[in-house]
Every structure is written in C-alpha cells, then in structure tokens.
C-alpha cells in the first residue's frame, strides 16, 4: 500500500496536473499548470509554495524554472491516478456507465473514497491493469507501466495501419463523439489520407460497420495508437 499523506482536493488536483505535465522529465511552468487547471497563475504560485513546504515535501519549485514532483509528490500522484482509474473501471464494468461518462464522475469520486474502498474496488475488479480508456492503472506500490510506444493518431502518416491504444481527453463532448464514431481501444484503423495543411485525416476502421471517417486534428490528437508494421 502507498503510505497515506492527507491532501486537500485542490492539492490532489495540482499534484496530478504536475505529474501529467512533467511526464517527459521537464519542469512544468506556472502558466501551463494554470492553463491545465483553469485557474489564475497567481493562485498556482501560492499553491506551489504550499506544496514545497509540505511534510514530506511534494514539489521542487524554483520561481523561474518551473516545478517537478519529489518522490513523495510522485507517490501522491500515483495514489490519486490509481483511484481515478479504478473508479472509471468500476463505473464502466459494474455500474453500466458508458465509456465517455466515466472520466467526469471519477474526477469527483477520486477525492473522496477511502483507502479501504480503493482496496475493495481493486479486488472486486480482479486487479485490473488498464482503465476503460486504455490507460495503465498504477499498482499499490505506486508503479505504473511504462509508455507502450503509443503515438497520437494525428502523427500517423497516410498508408500506415495502427491499433487504438487509448483515448485521452478532459472534454466529455469530445470523448462522446469519439465513442460514437466507434474509435475505441483495440480497434484497428488505416490512415488513408492526411491533409498536410490542416492535419485532417481520413481513416478506415477495420472490424467495424462505421465505414470511413474524417477526423480533425483535435480528435486525432486525443486518440493514441500503436503503429503496426506491415
Ligand atoms: Zn479519466
């Protein structure tokens, strides 16, 4: 079990946002954090100072260089992400939520369930390793599967074949659209054409009656795929 450090809901949201913004190892700027949480940069500065003074310290913060998580901060992020993704899996598999509904609900519930509730979820779901969007669920020790080599569909060239690995967005309307278009994890797509001016893709879905689809850059950017070698 990951040792519990009690954080407020807002602190949890910051730690999670910083985790997502620093996946490549580069510090996150105050501005990027403000944008990702839809808050004013001044409130970000205040919160970063608070997280840097927490016991144990959650972030390494230097005013003009940005912020990184400490190991305690990374573990806190893993704990929240584990809860989020277990809740999504439960809502989808047990409660009959649709695939695009689960994220918004999990954003709320991730802050309120107890460690016991989290443990029961993992057991009832038979220790799942992927959430309904195809994202890996961190284990009890805060370890998470490494990136599987997936790239955004918007980066795939015409003529390439790929399998959808995960669909990631905070925009529920966008998720709903993608879901209704049959673009779910596990589905294979062929990129037929790629407009070099605006990045619009024409794709064919295999094993689906949805036929060909035209996808703008925003949609293709939310879909992560594993490119198949012919
Ligand atoms: Zn989610």
């Amino acid at each position: 079990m990951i040792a519990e450090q009690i954080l407020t809901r807002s602190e949890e949201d910051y730690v999670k946002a910083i985790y997502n913004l620093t996946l490549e190892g580069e510090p996150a700027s105050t501005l990027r954090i403000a944008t990702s949480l839809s808050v004013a940069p001044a409130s970000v500065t205040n919160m970063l100072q608070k997280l840097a003074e927490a016991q144990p310290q959650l972030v390494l913060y230097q005013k003009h260089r940005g912020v990184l998580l400490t190991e305690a901060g990374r573990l806190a992020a893993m704990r929240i992400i584990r809860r989020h993704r277990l809740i999504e899996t439960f809502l989808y598999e047990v409660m009959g939520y649709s695939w695009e509904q689960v994220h918004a609900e999990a954003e709320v519930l991730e802050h309120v369930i107890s460690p016991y509730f989290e443990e029961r979820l993992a057991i009832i779901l038979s220790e799942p390793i992927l959430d309904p969007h195809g994202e890996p669920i961190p284990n009890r020790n805060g370890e998470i599967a490494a990136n599987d080599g997936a790239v955004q569909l918007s980066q795939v060239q015409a003529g390439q074949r790929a399998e959808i690995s995960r669909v990631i967005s905070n925009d529920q309307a966008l998720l709903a659209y993608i879901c209704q278009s049959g673009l779910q994890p596990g589905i294979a797509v062929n990129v037929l054409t790629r407009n070099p001016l605006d990045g619009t893709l024409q794709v064919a879905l295999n094993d689906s009656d949805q036929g060909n689809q035209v996808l703008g850059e925003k949609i293709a950017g939310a879909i992560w795929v594993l490119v198949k070698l012919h």
Side-chain angles (χ1 to χ4, degrees):
M1 283 280 265
I2 305 169
E4 186 87 9
Q5 182 177 9
I6 306 292
L7 303 183
T8 65
R9 176 180 177 152
S10 171
E11 287 165 349
E12 289 184 337
D13 282 336
Y14 270 82
V15 165
K16 197 169 65 162
I18 297 165
Y19 173 82
N20 286 321
L21 291 171
T22 56
L23 282 174
E24 311 294 331
E26 293 297 315
S29 69
T30 307
L31 189 62
R32 286 188 69 206
I33 298 168
T35 308
S36 109
L37 291 170
S38 307
V39 295
S43 3
V44 176
T45 309
N46 286 339
M47 179 59 94
L48 292 181
Q49 277 158 1
K50 206 174 151 198
L51 295 174
E53 287 160 13
Q55 278 309 324
Q57 186 178 354
L58 295 168
V59 300
L60 299 168
Y61 172 50
Q62 282 183 303
K63 212 155 198 171
H64 298 288
R65 298 201 50 204
V67 64
L68 284 168
L69 292 176
T70 60
E71 177 60 11
R74 191 193 67 80
L75 284 174
M78 287 296 99
R79 197 168 68 225
I80 302 151
I81 291 170
R82 174 172 167 80
R83 286 184 188 168
H84 180 101
R85 293 180 183 169
L86 283 173
I87 292 165
E88 286 187 331
T89 309
F90 182 79
L91 294 175
Y92 180 72
E93 288 188 4
V94 180
M95 292 196 69
Y97 276 59
S98 70
W99 175 80
E100 83 273 11
Q101 283 175 320
V102 298
H103 178 77
E105 196 84 275
E107 284 286 287
V108 178
L109 292 173
E110 67 186 13
H111 302 290
V112 296
I113 68 168
S114 68
Y116 180 73
F117 193 108
E118 171 193 326
E119 188 58 22
R120 292 299 308 160
L121 275 185
I123 291 166
I124 284 169
L125 297 167
S126 309
E127 311 289 342
I129 53 170
L130 292 177
D131 77 9
H133 301 291
E135 296 209 80
I137 300 175
N139 70 15
R140 288 175 180 74
N141 300 321
E143 295 154 353
I144 190 165
N147 189 309
D148 51 9
V151 295
Q152 285 164 295
L153 181 57
S154 51
Q155 308 300 316
V156 176
Q157 299 303 314
Q160 287 189 308
R161 206 164 69 84
E163 184 181 314
I164 298 177
S165 161
R166 49 191 178 270
V167 180
I168 307 172
S169 174
N170 285 323
D171 182 341
Q172 193 170 346
L174 184 68
L175 287 177
Y177 180 86
I178 291 173
C179 183
Q180 279 152 21
S181 307
L183 296 156
Q184 302 204 21
I187 294 285
V189 295
N190 291 319
V191 176
L192 304 175
T193 61
R194 185 169 195 274
N195 184 325
L197 293 179
D198 64 5
T200 302
L201 300 178
Q202 194 190 5
V203 302
L205 273 59
N206 299 349
D207 313 319
S208 163
D209 51 14
Q210 300 270 1
N212 293 358
Q213 313 242 354
V214 176
L215 307 176
E217 205 162 21
K218 191 174 173 195
I219 294 169
I223 300 171
W224 291 73
V225 299
L226 292 168
V227 175
K228 301 277 175 201
L229 301 171
H230 287 277

